[in-house]
Amino acid sequence: MRAGTFHKMALNIVTQYREDHHLKAFTLEPNRRRLVAALAVQLRDSGDLKLEEWQLPRVEQEIGWALSKASPARCTSRAHAD
């Protein structure tokens, strides 16, 4: 079994479920800055947490740091090449 197989299978299952239930297809956000900004808006609107604009670059840095510490075997995925 190669790295990424589980994640690719999970994405396929979710995609099939959404198609079967006539739900809008989901997309993965490739831009971390847009992802963090959208998450901040969602958290503010829900009242769960308030991230200020000046905090967003720090959140992006923390995500980058965490990804850099991950095992290379876990990050390498042929699913990204598909």
Side-chain angles (χ1 to χ4, degrees):
M1 181 184 284
R2 69 177 190 259
T5 302
F6 174 79
H7 294 98
K8 185 173 183 179
M9 181 183 65
L11 286 172
N12 287 339
I13 290 169
V14 169
T15 298
Q16 186 63 51
Y17 175 86
R18 294 185 69 77
E19 287 176 7
D20 292 348
H21 292 86
H22 309 290
L23 300 170
K24 182 179 173 187
F26 71 93
T27 59
L28 298 177
E29 177 58 70
N31 183 300
R32 188 180 306 154
R33 180 164 290 160
R34 283 194 305 247
L35 176 65
V36 170
L39 177 61
V41 169
Q42 183 179 1
L43 290 170
R44 280 187 214 123
D45 290 348
S46 70
D48 290 334
L49 180 67
K50 185 171 183 178
L51 287 173
E52 300 291 343
E53 291 297 319
W54 62 269
Q55 294 172 306
L56 299 185
R58 179 59 191 227
V59 173
E60 292 175 43
Q61 287 176 338
E62 291 295 325
I63 293 169
W65 177 85
L67 290 171
S68 75
K69 300 302 177 194
S71 152
R74 293 183 70 188
C75 293
T76 304
S77 170
R78 296 182 59 69
H80 296 300
D82 293 344

